[in-house]
Every structure is written in C-alpha cells, then in structure tokens.
Amino acid sequence: MEIGTAETIEDPIKPKRRRASLSGGQGPSGNGGGGNNPGGDDDKPDFQGSSAAEPFRPGISRILTGFLLVVVLMTFGGLVAAYIVIATNNVAEWRPFALPIQAWISTFLILASSATYHIAKTAVDKDAQHTAKRWFIITTVIGAAFISSQILAWIELTARGLYLAGNPYAGFFFILTAVHAVHVLGGIAALGAILLRTWTPMASEAQLIRRRSLAQVVGWYWHFMGALWIVLFVLLGFWK
C-alpha cells in the first residue's frame, strides 16, 4: 500500500511541478528563471529583436511623411502647371524680370542646408550625439537664413514697384516662393523636434531607434524642400 501510494503520488506530482516551474519560472518566478534566463536577459533579446526589425517596417511616421510629401507635390504641381500655361500664352500683362540677388543666395543656402543635414543624419546613425547636435543647429541656422533671404527678396521686388497684382509673373513669384517658405518653416519646426531629442543623453536603444527614424523622415522632407526650390528657381529664372 505504501509503495503503491508512493508511485501514484510522487511520480505524477513531481513531473507536473517541474513542468509548471519551467513554464512559469521564465516569467513571474525569480528562482526558476533566474538561474538560466533571468527576467532582464529575456527582455533584452526580445527588445533587441524588435529593434532590429523596426527599421524595415513602414512606421506611422514614414507613412504620414510620405502622404505629406504627396500632398505638397500635388499642391506645387498645380501651381507650376498654372504658371507654365500662363507663361506660354504670351499675354500682354506677363512681364518677366531678372531675379533678385537674394534668390541666388537662397539657392546656395538651401543646397548648403541639405549638405549639413546629411552630415547630421550620418552622425545620428553612428550614435555621435554631439556631432549630430552641432550639425542640426547649423542646418537650422541656415534654414532661418533661407527664410530671411526670401523676405529680403520680397522687399527688393516691392522696392522695384512689383507687387502681387498687376503682373502675373510677379504674382507667381510671390505665391510660389511664399508657399515654399511656409513649408520650409514647417521643416525648421521639425528640426527643432530633433534638436530636443539630441540635446538630452540617450537612455536606451529604443531612443536611438526613434531618433534615427525621426532624422530619416525629416530628412526626406528637408531634401524634398531643397529639390523643390531648385525646380522653382529654374522655372522662375529660365522659363519666362
């Protein structure tokens, strides 16, 4: 009777308890999972695995940025199409003029800002926080200088007696450059968001991934604004 009870009690119960401890020890129990796979080590590989896969999935920020760029492209596409139609109609009111020197300065500044942003983005990818912060600040300053050059260009045109009304070419110059400047201001605001993230020390790998993702999508937008300005500059300066 005792042997029988020992076989029926000890043999079924001990394996069940061992299996339960193996399945449950990895999560809540500290001793069962702490010897082989501690709770912190289990979280770390899981986190690293999700971090490694994250850049290859289209995140919500990438989708929203792509959608925004499509909207911007359609907006400027309509304006450029209207400009080309009116420019080719040879209407009497269409009186082109030489671009102010500030437009050439703006072109240099927007190209320089794309170069400095690329350097900052490369530093973010390499986790060089201080270098990235310095070049993001330089890019922001150049972006502000670009806006200033646009304002000076508008002042120069008004000093020549050119306004939004009266000359369709002047009107398109004001509209195209003003709409572009508003979008550049949005890019400068996005640069401020990146600066806020790079100003503080990085506490985790997840923060590094978020910074890289933010730098990537803002870079898409910033370089797109630079390319768009080149199109507008060529259009306004050489398609009259």
Side-chain angles (χ1 to χ4, degrees):
M1 298 295 292
E2 294 178 355
I3 295 174
T5 55
E7 292 178 354
T8 56
I9 293 175
E10 293 179 0
D11 292 342
I13 292 178
K14 285 184 179 180
K16 289 181 179 179
R17 288 182 179 177
R18 289 175 183 175
R19 292 173 184 172
S21 64
L22 289 173
S23 60
Q26 294 178 355
S29 63
N31 297 329
N36 297 327
N37 294 318
D41 293 339
D42 289 340
D43 294 337
K44 192 172 183 180
D46 292 340
F47 174 75
Q48 289 178 348
S50 61
S51 300
E54 191 273 340
F56 301 99
R57 295 197 304 263
I60 186 64
S61 59
R62 295 179 178 88
I63 296 175
L64 291 177
T65 304
F67 177 77
L68 176 62
L69 293 181
V70 171
V71 173
V72 173
L73 182 61
M74 293 176 63
T75 301
F76 279 94
L79 292 173
V80 169
Y83 174 92
I84 294 174
V85 169
I86 297 178
T88 54
N89 283 339
N90 296 323
V91 295
E93 294 81 4
W94 186 264
R95 297 186 299 274
F97 50 81
L99 295 180
I101 188 63
Q102 291 83 359
W104 295 86
I105 296 174
S106 297
T107 304
F108 171 77
L109 291 174
I110 202 73
L111 292 176
S113 69
S114 288
T116 56
Y117 190 95
H118 176 73
I119 296 174
K121 170 63 168 57
T122 303
V124 171
D125 293 338
K126 295 180 178 179
D127 194 17
Q129 175 181 346
H130 296 291
T131 302
K133 180 171 63 177
R134 180 171 64 251
W135 284 102
F136 277 134
I137 292 174
I138 293 174
T139 305
T140 305
V141 171
I142 296 177
F146 174 85
I147 297 297
S148 300
S149 67
Q150 294 292 284
I151 296 174
L152 292 176
W154 301 332
I155 295 174
E156 171 67 20
L157 292 182
T158 56
R160 296 183 191 178
L162 300 170
Y163 302 96
L164 189 64
N167 183 354
Y169 177 79
F172 272 108
F173 183 91
F174 281 106
I175 293 174
L176 290 172
T177 56
V179 174
H180 182 269
V182 170
H183 286 83
V184 172
L185 285 174
I188 294 175
L191 282 172
I194 297 180
L195 280 174
L196 290 177
R197 290 183 178 271
T198 57
W199 210 269
T200 56
M202 187 184 63
S204 65
E205 186 178 356
Q207 288 187 358
L208 176 60
I209 293 175
R210 285 195 293 269
R211 290 178 185 181
R212 287 174 177 173
S213 178
L214 180 61
Q216 181 185 46
V217 297
V218 174
W220 293 350
Y221 184 88
W222 192 261
H223 295 312
F224 184 83
M225 288 296 108
L228 185 58
W229 171 257
I230 297 301
V231 172
L232 296 180
F233 178 78
V234 173
L235 188 72
L236 292 169
F238 303 98
W239 193 328
K240 301 179 181 181

